[in-house]
Amino acid sequence: MRKLGISVYPEHAELDENKKYIELAAKYGFSRIFTCLLSADGDKEKIKQDFKDMIMHAKKYNFEVIADVAPNIFHEFGISYDDLSFFYEMGVDGIRLDEGFSGNEESLMTFNPYNLMIELNASQVTGYLDNIISYHPDKHMLLGCHNFYPKKRSGLSKEQFLKGSEQFKKHGIRVAAFISSHSADFGPWPVSEGLCSLEEHRFLPVDVQAKDLFYTNLVDDVIIANCFASEEELKKLSEINKGLMVLDVELETEISTTEEKIAFEELHFFRGDRSEYTVCSTLPRVKYKEFEIKPNNTRSVKKGDVLIENSNYSRYKGELHIALKDFENEGNTNVIGRISNSNFRFIDQIQPWQKFRLKKI
């Protein structure tokens, strides 16, 4: 099951603030928490207690909690890779290795007696994961999670992101990635110009960022990296269909009841023998073959237009299309609206036989 997550940084906010944020996220179905020991500084026991207080509250709401660490944290806190009791006592469900060891250590950690998950950095496209796999870890105890990038122009390219994700998915390992709230104003580090994994997401709405990650079919969990996301953002994310592409449509004209049903009540799929001109959903022409669809708004077609073939087209009447390029309209096609600007990026991602729905906004 795909999950939504938040990030909580005990060293940067009061416990009561973090508790309220956890409760609000739980209200909207969030179930993962990322937290960061890399930025924690001070007395070991106090840090441990501060994190534990937050984690124990999160456990009341059934959150899975993963803490970000690195070899230097092991050294500073006197922790050994073959004794993870410190993290178990803190209450986390797993640790994320922002930087790794030699491969065998990570493998050995997957057999820890506390059943702590070992999460690996998914943003580096190297032989790191294959090296760990060569040491025969318990793959069921491995997770992958991308980095986030506080500085503008430092985030991952789409190509790097996909390659990093694919190397984990080929081994059946879950992958998480980060998105950035536009209501939040801090993360674990002094620089916080948005906290996202993909650079192209930095200024996009949170729901568009999350959709883009889920629609890759390579990301299982999406986590807001900065604090505190607004309730409006949490609500928007909770309404996303994580397993099905849903495209927002802005109507351009009044449409008939039949067109309304075709566009917004049907589960569509992209016909397998694809055309370069449109994403074609053919089944509505069978279901609605007895219904009249009068010609309406038959202007020239632009990429991103949502189209329904009208009664002039007899055999094709009722088909729904999304335009992939501009073309002339001979009067047989009703232009009912357009894919919203924020969702326009998804049009070219739809694959033959892929299912999708349209949502009127």
Side-chain angles (χ1 to χ4, degrees), residues 25-181:
K27 173 183 172 183
Y28 289 103
F30 285 63
S31 58
R32 270 196 71 161
I33 287 177
F34 168 86
T35 193
C36 184
L37 277 171
L38 294 176
S39 56
D41 188 27
D43 179 72
K44 172 183 172 181
E45 290 306 315
K46 184 179 186 306
I47 291 171
K48 183 177 179 180
Q49 190 59 51
D50 288 346
F51 276 78
K52 186 174 182 178
D53 290 342
M54 178 273 291
I55 293 165
M56 290 304 101
H57 188 72
K59 290 299 177 183
K60 295 178 183 177
Y61 295 89
N62 299 313
F63 277 91
E64 176 185 66
V65 183
I66 307 291
D68 205 23
V69 300
N72 68 295
I73 295 296
F74 281 70
H75 175 73
E76 290 175 17
F77 284 74
I79 303 165
S80 170
Y81 69 85
D82 60 359
D83 181 6
L84 303 181
S85 58
F86 176 87
F87 303 112
Y88 172 72
E89 291 165 5
M90 186 184 289
V92 298
D93 296 283
I95 56 173
R96 179 185 183 273
L97 300 176
D98 187 58
E99 298 176 18
F101 294 87
S102 72
N104 192 35
E105 291 91 341
E106 288 91 335
S107 174
L108 288 167
M109 280 191 271
T110 65
F111 298 99
N112 72 85
Y114 311 109
N115 290 318
L116 297 177
M117 302 295 295
I118 307 301
E119 190 167 71
L120 308 173
N121 188 337
S123 293
Q124 299 175 4
V125 183
T126 64
Y128 174 59
L129 177 60
D130 288 334
N131 182 43
I132 294 170
I133 297 298
S134 74
Y135 285 100
H136 300 284
D138 181 351
K139 288 200 291 186
H140 297 285
M141 300 302 292
L142 287 176
L143 299 171
C145 181
H146 283 278
N147 285 339
F148 53 67
Y149 298 89
K151 178 178 175 291
K152 285 186 288 189
R153 297 177 292 276
S154 67
L156 296 174
S157 69
K158 191 66 168 285
E159 180 184 14
Q160 177 82 1
F161 179 85
L162 295 176
K163 285 181 178 178
S165 302
E166 286 166 353
Q167 65 184 353
F168 280 79
K169 296 307 289 184
K170 75 177 183 180
H171 292 291
I173 299 172
R174 293 182 66 85
V175 173
F178 292 98
I179 61 173
S180 182
S181 161

Side-chain angles (χ1 to χ4, degrees), residues 211-252:
K211 281 182 174 183
D212 202 22
L213 293 178
F214 285 132
Y215 293 170
T216 65
N217 285 318
L218 295 171
V219 175
D220 302 285
D221 302 336
V222 171
I223 305 167
I224 304 171
N226 47 0
C227 290
F228 293 107
S230 68
E231 182 167 4
E232 179 185 5
E233 288 176 319
L234 297 177
K235 184 175 185 295
K236 276 186 178 180
L237 289 169
S238 74
E239 293 170 349
I240 290 174
N241 189 318
K242 304 178 189 69
L244 177 70
M245 184 178 284
V246 179
L247 301 173
D248 294 339
V249 176
E250 299 172 352
L251 289 181
E252 185 174 294

Side-chain angles (χ1 to χ4, degrees), residues 261-283:
K261 289 180 177 179
I262 290 172
F264 304 115
E265 294 183 13
E266 297 297 320
L267 174 66
H268 300 285
F269 69 84
F270 188 174
R271 182 178 169 125
D273 49 347
R274 66 178 299 167
S275 159
E276 65 179 303
Y277 285 90
T278 67
V279 172
C280 177
S281 172
T282 58
L283 286 185

